[in-house]
Amino acid sequence: MDHLRQDLRYAFRTLIARPGFTAVVVVTLGLGIGINSAIFTLVNAVMLKPLPVHAPEEIVNVYLTGPNGVNFSSLSYLDYRDVEQRTDLFQDVVGYSGLMGTLTGTGAGEMVFGEFVSANYFSALGVAPQLGRGFLRGFLEEEGSTFGTHPVAVISSRLWHRWFNTSPDVIGRDVTLNGVKLTVVGVAPDDFHGVLVRGFSLDVWVPVAMRPVLQPGYSNMDSRGSRWVTVKGRLQPDVTPERVRSALATLMEGLQETYPDTHEGRQFRVIPMNDVYLHPEGDSGVVAVAAMMMGAVGLVLLIACANVANLLLARALGRRREIAVRLALGAGRRRLVQQLLVESVVLAGGGGILGFTLAYWLAALLLAFNPPFPVAISLDLGLDWRVVSFTGGAALLTGLVFGLIPALQATRPALVPALKDQESTARVGKMRLRNALLLPQVSLSLILLIVAGLFARSVQNASSVDLGFDAERSGIVTVDLGQQQGYDAERAELFWADLLDRAKAMPGVQAATVSNWIPLGTLYSEQNLSVLTSDAAGTRTVERMAVARVDEGYFGTLGIGVRGRAFDEGDVQRSASVAIVSEAAARRLWPDESPLGKRLRTRGEDGPEYEVVGVAADAKVRSLGEDPQPFLYVPIRNYGGMLHLIARAPSDPAAVVAALRRQITEIDDDMAVFQAATMEEHLSLMLFPFRMAAAVSAALGLLGLTLAGVGLYGVVSYGVAQRTREMGLRMALGATARDVVRLVVGEGTRVVVMGVVVGLALAFLMTRVLSSALFGINPSDPITFVVTPAVLAVVATAASFLPAYRATKVDPVKALRTE
């Protein structure tokens, strides 16, 4: 410990005496450690931090498996009640589902998201409201006694601040959700945002008994086949998930016997809550993205470490006489290595402190790339013990890694030349080592730049893909009348007719349409189709196909061509039994003949029949990279539920969207507007993953390129300084400035060329894993693999040229006099 204290004091004195060197090392390491800690902070918030509930390790998620590859379905409300009765397994069972609506009562209405929850939601999760109370415990008590009674709500802390100005008398005040007055009985804690999806910031919680009133079009409380309740259960002491699985398997056997139509082939699935990040079916993708991001920032840290190791090697050459004197006076090599490692760890500690400071800011900057979701994103980026441990461990590890090789090299000088401060062959060896450390910097930087280039090309390809419809000149507003009070079928049709007429009358609007689906939207329905034939069988069943309900203006508004004819006003008004199929559907259903005049049926033997009157050009349905998908269009029959108004406005679609919102408010000032955006904004959700990946990889690539350029500059510059006599001698013997520049730049270029060769080989292998994340581009894209090394070569040449130019200014006479 005495030696350690001495080494620490000496390290601080030495580093303070060289502030320029110390600052460069600390900043370099701070950037490398900071970006790693920032990414880890995001990973920690999404994957490692438990939800802010009491004893999360006691809670399990209960799902349903089913036919057609369904592995993690929600439960029906009645199934949830059956699971709730198993008090031998659970202390509490919580049921909840998503809620969306318009909140009014204290000013202009706004769209909010929340949860319908069982009455024991807050008490079972162990979440104590910061004001007021949760819901009264037990579904059969008070707030859950009868559907539609006890209209109460718990609001989020965010909503409390925004709507009620943090007023302490908020308890007992009313808000209106979807036209229903709710009394605020509690305010959730600041850090609680619900458990629907990790990261989604929810604003309101309402007893599930209010669902039939708040969402009259989506009650489904008494249907075993309507599965919309997500279930969590807090285990009884000493009850294991294995025991729960066994007991619920027995419960399912009874349900299958009693309700074979809805439960045949289904099983309960039990997973500890802490083992689920977002959703079991999507968690593998979350892990892959997290691993990819941590790997990328790990490369940046390796580049920083190699850069700092080179700086320490250069500094060790300047201290070789000091080291030689210590050795000559009897100091052991082990003792000197320890002292030099302490200096490295102190530098790394400074980098760690800077990185820790940068981590939160960088993580918040990354989180600012909010996906275009209607739900606010809120992740807890607090620096807990995991982040502190990761940052401290990264700093300690980098201190040892980048400090060990220079320390070993510095403690093996040739004593006599070192004591005389003369040149020795050791300098040549150290230059070779510095070049060897520079090579991985160049290689890793090239890999990062290639990845950035591939994602940038993906964004370019995705932005230019042929969507099959006009995406540049349209605006969209989306309304769900199933969420609204008093909108029966007749009133819903009047609402949409009124809004459509207003839209068509707006200046700048060329056409408008109403449908239940937007191309590349997240919500669409699929139905089984049967082709009616003239043979003995009478029908030919085909697989499921996406179906949209559209009006007569749909194809013209979106610029989708139709062979045959499109729908006319008469088709819509009389709900005619006609249909239009996409080109892909026509090829699949009638590969050898014209589909016009053919007949088909949806939804089984008792479903409606349609005559095909047109064939629409293929348009993208689910994703940008998909092959043409079969699609069926039918005239819109009812106007309930969620529908979209699409208006084509070539001059200013954004202004038309704003005007449409105002028109909706004039028709019904309590109406919930789910989405109001231009078509391009709507499609930005599809481009978001590519744009996010391109932005992050470009930032990392530029950081790596900068560090590699600085490293190359440092190596070449220090090499020139160590070869002052040589340069003077060359110039004295007749070498020109051009010869000196060519010599110095050539030596730097050789290292870069070797690094590029190694980097290209590694990138060719590593980018294989990116193939599924790229769009319309091969992971070995020749343009990227040619342009990126060229960019690196330009930077490397610039980094080598300045020291080379300085070398031409050496005075040969003074250089030859220098020992």
Side-chain angles (χ1 to χ4, degrees):
M1 293 303 296
D2 288 338
H3 287 167
L4 181 59
R5 283 193 291 270
Q6 293 173 6
D7 292 342
L8 285 171
R9 285 196 300 268
Y10 184 77
F12 279 110
R13 288 200 305 268
T14 302
L15 296 176
I16 291 173
R18 295 171 176 82
F21 169 83
T22 302
V24 170
V25 173
V26 169
V27 170
T28 299
L29 288 177
L31 289 173
I33 295 173
I35 191 66
N36 275 266
S37 296
I39 297 299
F40 181 79
T41 299
L42 291 177
V43 171
N44 181 46
V46 174
M47 300 177 61
L48 303 180
K49 274 189 177 180
L51 289 170
V53 301
H54 173 68
E57 69 280 359
E58 298 177 357
I59 301 176
V60 295
N61 293 350
V62 181
Y63 303 98
L64 274 181
T65 65
N68 301 322
V70 176
N71 294 317
F72 302 97
S73 167
S74 300
L75 280 63
S76 70
Y77 177 73
L78 296 178
D79 286 346
Y80 152 70
R81 294 301 308 278
D82 289 333
V83 173
E84 184 189 33
Q85 304 304 314
R86 294 303 304 265
T87 56
D88 58 321
L89 303 174
F90 302 106
Q91 302 176 52
D92 279 297
V93 178
V94 173
Y96 58 95
S97 71
L99 179 159
M100 177 189 72
T102 299
L103 199 64
T104 56
T106 63
E110 70 172 87
M111 174 71 70
V112 294
F113 294 85
E115 292 174 305
F116 289 110
V117 301
S118 54
N120 62 341
Y121 178 87
F122 289 99
S123 59
L125 294 177
V127 176
Q130 60 178 306
L131 280 182
R133 61 174 175 85
F135 304 123
L136 299 182
R137 183 179 177 84
F139 187 81
L140 297 179
E141 299 177 35
E142 292 195 28
E143 281 150 13
S145 58
T146 306
F147 294 139
T149 61
H150 297 277
V152 294
V154 173
I155 63 174
S156 69
S157 180
R158 187 178 73 143
L159 193 65
W160 178 42
H161 284 73
R162 193 170 69 249
W163 271 53
F164 296 97
N165 198 27
T166 325
S167 172
D169 65 351
V170 64
I171 305 303
R173 294 175 66 175
D174 289 339
V175 293
T176 302
L177 182 64
N178 290 352
V180 178
K181 281 193 175 182
L182 303 175
T183 300
V184 176
V185 297
V187 177
D190 290 339
D191 63 345
F192 185 74
H193 305 286
V195 295
L196 187 65
V197 177
R198 187 189 293 260
F200 279 11
S201 185
L202 306 181
D203 281 324
V204 62
W205 292 266
V206 178
V208 72
M210 293 297 297
R211 189 171 190 258
V213 179
L214 289 170
Q215 295 182 337
Y218 303 98
S219 56
N220 300 327
M221 306 292 288
D222 57 356
S223 171
R224 289 277 179 180
S226 179
R227 299 178 177 90
W228 52 272
V229 182
T230 305
V231 175
K232 296 184 187 295
R234 184 177 293 279
L235 300 177
Q236 291 282 8
D238 301 325
V239 172
T240 64
E242 289 73 21
R243 179 179 166 187
V244 175
R245 293 186 187 104
S246 177
L248 293 187
T250 302
L251 172 61
M252 179 55 71
E253 290 176 3
L255 293 173
Q256 289 174 349
E257 183 176 347
T258 307
Y259 310 104
D261 291 343
T262 56
H263 289 72
E264 186 66 33
R266 297 189 178 274
Q267 292 294 331
F268 287 109
R269 194 158 190 170
V270 178
I271 302 178
M273 186 181 73
N274 282 345
D275 292 347
V276 178
Y277 306 133
L278 298 179
H279 189 275
E281 289 186 316
D283 282 351
S284 59
V286 174
V287 173
V289 171
M292 188 181 303
M293 293 181 70
M294 290 302 299
V297 295
L299 293 181
V300 173
L301 185 57
L302 285 176
I303 295 171
C305 288
N307 205 339
V308 171
N310 258 331
L311 291 173
L312 287 178
L313 277 172
R315 183 167 177 263
L317 276 176
R319 300 177 63 185
R320 67 192 191 95
R321 187 176 185 187
E322 171 198 338
I323 301 297
V325 169
R326 288 171 176 265
L327 290 170
L329 293 176
R333 188 182 180 212
R334 179 177 179 181
R335 179 74 182 83
L336 288 175
V337 168
Q338 174 185 315
Q339 194 270 318
L340 293 174
L341 279 178
V342 168
E343 288 186 22
S344 301
V345 172
V346 169
L347 285 169
I353 293 172
L354 177 60
F356 191 80
T357 304
L358 290 174
Y360 180 84
W361 179 79
L362 291 172
L365 182 64
L366 288 172
L367 200 60
F369 285 91
N370 257 342
F373 294 151
V375 186
I377 303 298
S378 177
L379 290 174
D380 182 6
L381 300 181
L383 304 179
D384 62 3
W385 66 269
R386 297 178 186 84
V387 177
V388 173
S389 300
F390 177 87
T391 306
L396 179 61
L397 183 62
T398 53
L400 296 175
V401 168
F402 74 69
L404 185 59
I405 294 178
L408 293 175
Q409 285 290 321
T411 54
R412 291 196 310 186
L415 286 182
V416 175
L419 289 171
K420 293 181 178 180
D421 200 19
Q422 295 176 341
E423 299 278 356
S424 74
T425 56
R427 292 182 186 271
V428 178
K430 287 181 172 59
M431 284 300 297
R432 289 175 179 170
L433 179 58
R434 292 206 299 277
N435 287 339
L437 288 172
L438 180 60
L439 189 146
Q441 294 183 59
V442 174
S443 300
L444 296 177
S445 297
L446 181 62
I447 292 172
L448 289 174
L449 287 171
I450 286 176
V451 171
L454 290 174
F455 278 118
R457 297 262 289 154
S458 291
V459 172
Q460 182 183 20
N461 290 343
S463 300
S464 60
V465 69
D466 181 10
L467 302 175
F469 61 92
D470 188 349
E472 297 180 354
R473 302 179 297 169
S474 300
I476 306 165
V477 290
T478 302
V479 173
D480 189 351
L481 296 184
Q483 307 273 5
Q484 304 298 313
Q485 290 291 316
Y487 276 89
D488 55 15
E490 182 179 357
R491 188 182 175 194
E493 185 171 353
L494 290 174
F495 170 86
W496 283 110
D498 188 5
L499 183 59
L500 189 59
D501 289 341
R502 291 171 181 242
K504 291 177 178 178
M506 287 181 184
V509 173
Q510 291 183 343
T513 183
V514 174
S515 73
N516 73 331
W517 182 74
I518 317 172
L520 292 171
T522 55
L523 299 175
Y524 59 89
S525 63
E526 291 185 341
Q527 296 178 10
N528 291 324
L529 296 186
S530 298
V531 175
L532 303 183
T533 62
S534 57
D535 57 19
T539 61
R540 173 168 56 87
T541 302
V542 298
E543 60 188 67
R544 292 174 67 82
M545 187 178 298
V547 180
R549 295 181 286 123
V550 303
D551 71 5
E552 69 276 11
Y554 182 83
F555 300 100
T557 301
L558 289 175
I560 300 175
V562 178
R563 269 192 304 120
R565 73 172 180 88
F567 298 136
D568 57 32
E569 188 175 354
D571 294 330
V572 175
Q573 288 180 350
R574 63 177 180 268
S575 298
S577 296
V578 294
I580 294 174
V581 297
S582 67
E583 293 279 4
R587 289 191 295 270
R588 176 174 298 184
L589 302 181
W590 301 279
D592 301 320
E593 51 188 327
S594 171
L596 298 179
K598 303 298 184 183
R599 301 187 64 80
L600 51 80
R601 177 185 290 124
T602 61
R603 299 202 302 269
E605 295 181 0
D606 298 327
E609 294 184 10
Y610 297 95
E611 177 186 350
V612 177
V613 296
V615 180
D618 289 322
K620 298 297 182 183
V621 177
R622 300 176 182 86
S623 66
L624 296 174
E626 68 186 12
D627 294 328
Q629 297 293 306
F631 206 90
L632 176 68
Y633 303 92
V634 299
I636 191 165
R637 292 182 179 273
N638 66 75
Y639 291 83
M642 181 177 289
L643 295 178
H644 316 276
L645 188 145
I646 307 171
R648 187 172 77 240
S651 58
D652 192 355
V656 168
V657 169
L660 286 173
R661 293 202 67 156
R662 292 193 294 270
Q663 295 295 331
I664 291 173
T665 302
E666 289 182 11
I667 297 173
D668 186 342
D669 58 3
D670 289 334
M671 181 63 66
V673 178
F674 177 77
Q675 180 184 23
T678 65
M679 182 67 79
E680 289 183 322
E681 291 170 339
H682 162 71
L683 296 177
S684 65
L685 180 60
M686 292 291 173
L687 293 174
F688 174 77
F690 302 112
R691 287 174 174 166
M692 180 68 176
V696 173
S697 58
L700 295 179
L702 290 175
L703 179 58
L705 180 64
T706 302
L707 292 175
V710 171
L712 179 61
Y713 172 82
V715 169
V716 174
S717 182
Y718 197 84
V720 168
Q722 295 297 310
R723 299 167 64 186
T724 300
R725 291 188 64 207
E726 176 192 339
M727 297 301 174
L729 182 60
R730 287 177 180 273
M731 297 182 70
L733 294 176
T736 65
R738 178 177 296 180
D739 295 329
V740 173
V741 170
R742 186 183 299 113
L743 172 68
V744 175
V745 173
E747 290 179 354
T749 302
R750 280 195 292 273
V751 179
V752 172
V753 168
M754 288 187 291
V756 166
V757 171
V758 174
L760 285 174
L762 292 175
F764 183 82
L765 297 175
M766 295 177 64
T767 53
R768 306 294 96 190
V769 302
L770 296 177
S771 56
S772 61
L774 300 175
F775 182 83
I777 189 170
N778 191 292
S780 303
D781 174 53
I783 295 178
T784 304
F785 274 73
V786 170
V787 172
T788 305
V791 172
L792 184 59
V794 171
V795 174
T797 302
S800 301
F801 179 78
L802 185 58
Y805 178 75
R806 288 211 313 261
T808 64
K809 303 302 180 182
V810 172
D811 185 341
V813 176
K814 292 182 179 179
L816 291 173
R817 290 175 179 173
T818 302
E819 272 191 35

